Every structure is written in C-alpha cells, then in structure tokens.
Amino acid sequence: AQTVTQSQPEMSVQEAETVTLSCTYDTSESDYYLFWYKQPPSRQMILVIRQEAYKQQNATENRFSVNFQKAAKSFSLKISDSQLGDAAMYFCAYRTLNSGYALNFGKGTSLLVTP
Amino acid sequence: NAGVMQNPRHLVRRRGQEARLRCSPMKGHSHVYWYRQLPEEGLKFMVYLQKENIIDESGMPKERFSAEFPKEGPSILRIQQVVRGDSAAYFCASSRGAGETQYFGPGTRLLVL
C-alpha cells in the first residue's frame, strides 16, 4: 500500500519565525511527484509547492521551500517569515507516474500562527 | 476567475435521497478528479474522468456512487440513497493533461440527516 505520514497533527509558530512540517511517504516507484497543499478555514485546497522526484534541487516558492530526501522518502515543508495568513491545515501528497493519476494524501498538519 | 467551480457549496439531504454534485473544470482542462474528505482526514481519491470516459474509478464505492463527465457540461458525482456515512466534503480537481498538476475547487459539503 502506498502511504503518506504526517507525524505532527498540530504545530505552532510565532509570526515572522520559521517552521518545518514533516512528511514521509512510502512507494516502491522511482518516478513520482510530491506536493504540499494548504487548506485554510475556507476549506479550499490550494497548491503550495511541488517537487519532481528526479530533480535533486529542492523546490522553492517565495517563503515556502522543501527539503526533499529521496533515499529517506522524506519531504518536509519549511515556511519562513510566517504570517497570520499561513494558518491552515497543510497536506502532503504524492503521485506516481506508473500507478495512475490519483494523489495520495496524508492526514494533515494543523498550523497555528501566533502574533 | 477561471478556477475550478463546484456547486452547490453546501448540500443537505435526508437518508435515502439522492445527492448530485457538480464540477466545472478550469478553462482548457479536460481531466477531472473527485476526492472525498471525511472529518479529521486527508483527501481520498474516488474517480478520474476525461471527457465522456471514466479512466480510473478504483476509489469509488461499488454501490450507490457514480460519476460522469459528458461532452458538454460539468462533471457530475451522483450518490443514490444517501446514508449518514456519506456526510463529507467532496472535492473536484482538474488538470490540463493526464498527470499534470491538479487544481482543486472549493468543495461541496454534504450533510446527511
């Protein structure tokens, strides 16, 4: 079975500080894509960042960056200079190239940002 | 705004009724995916469709659930004879091509009384 594990149900960070959300996944495939999605209180799912497994360079989108460790099957999300608007549920997901197009999601990490 | 559209945003049904959820993909996208999110859970894949074709329905319950994506009009997820356990948020996503990034709609919250 292919699984995604987010070991931190809740995290808290102070405004302007940095926080890292962890994610590990389990797949026997060698080609796949990894994603972080954000779900604010509005419940809309918003794509934060994506990473192709064949790329060694970690993806970056403004204040969001990932630490992708392929051998360890780890894909953590770092949020720098946290803002109140970053408060949300964050879901890690992946999709393999050879096993269909479905995204496999973790259970999420709830991020609280305090002033 | 050319994002993924879903309606209704909230739907209340009594046990035994039918629920119809609609999804209009982003402009230029011809691939649609349906996911279900139970309370306190991540999203679970249900079905993947292209225009007029079901490509992968491996996550769809065998009974009472069906999906379509006709040549014209939105994709429809249909749940017949709803039960309380069907209460969940149902999300639709679309992509331009097979395997490309999926963009999500705002979801439909179904409540079965």
Side-chain angles (χ1 to χ4, degrees):
Chain A
Q2 302 183 100
T3 60
V4 179
T5 301
Q6 293 181 249
S7 59
Q8 307 150 316
E10 294 179 353
M11 290 285 284
S12 181
V13 63
Q14 255 188 329
E15 215 174 348
E17 296 297 310
T18 295
V19 65
T20 298
L21 309 183
S22 65
C23 172
T24 58
Y25 56 94
D26 183 19
T27 178
S28 57
E29 303 285 338
S30 58
D31 290 327
Y32 48 88
Y33 293 88
L34 295 157
F35 305 85
W36 278 97
Y37 281 89
K38 167 185 177 181
Q39 189 178 45
S42 67
R43 304 291 299 275
Q44 172 90 46
M45 292 290 288
I46 302 165
L47 178 65
V48 175
I49 199 164
R50 69 175 252 168
Q51 171 86 41
E52 290 86 350
Y54 64 86
K55 289 186 177 179
Q56 290 187 335
Q57 186 171 8
N58 289 321
T60 299
E61 288 287 341
N62 301 314
R63 299 182 294 106
F64 298 87
S65 61
V66 298
N67 183 3
F68 174 44
Q69 303 287 332
K70 191 171 184 178
K73 294 182 181 176
S74 170
F75 183 60
S76 60
L77 175 70
K78 185 171 87 170
I79 306 174
S80 304
D81 185 25
S82 297
Q83 301 175 359
L84 294 177
D86 294 334
M89 283 290 289
Y90 285 82
F91 292 96
C92 176
Y94 79 91
R95 179 182 67 77
T96 65
L97 298 185
N98 298 320
S99 304
Y101 300 103
L103 287 168
N104 296 282
F105 283 88
K107 290 191 174 184
T109 295
S110 177
L111 179 66
L112 175 66
V113 181
T114 57
Chain B
N1 187 342
V4 180
M5 305 289 287
Q6 287 187 252
N7 69 80
R9 295 291 303 275
H10 300 273
L11 183 61
V12 180
R13 285 288 179 265
R14 296 192 181 278
R15 280 178 297 168
Q17 291 184 320
E18 179 181 285
R20 280 185 178 239
L21 288 62
R22 295 175 190 78
C23 169
S24 297
M26 284 178 71
K27 188 176 180 181
H29 288 194
S30 58
H31 299 250
V32 165
Y33 314 78
W34 286 93
Y35 294 82
R36 177 165 65 176
Q37 185 180 30
L38 295 172
E40 312 300 326
E41 295 284 327
L43 278 69
K44 301 289 186 189
F45 169 76
M46 299 180 75
V47 62
Y48 162 40
L49 310 101
Q50 280 182 268
K51 282 287 185 180
E52 299 185 279
N53 289 306
I54 296 174
I55 307 301
D56 179 359
E57 55 182 349
S58 58
M60 194 89 106
K62 294 289 187 285
E63 297 178 352
R64 302 188 297 108
F65 285 73
S66 62
E68 63 177 13
F69 190 15
K71 188 177 180 181
E72 300 291 335
S75 175
I76 306 284
L77 179 67
R78 182 182 177 204
I79 312 172
Q80 294 178 288
Q81 299 173 354
V82 296
V83 301
R84 287 215 174 105
D86 296 333
S87 295
Y90 292 83
F91 287 91
C92 167
S94 73
S95 67
R96 184 179 302 276
E100 296 194 29
T101 297
Q102 297 175 29
Y103 295 92
F104 283 80
T108 293
R109 276 86 189 160
L110 173 65
L111 175 63
V112 180
L113 301 177

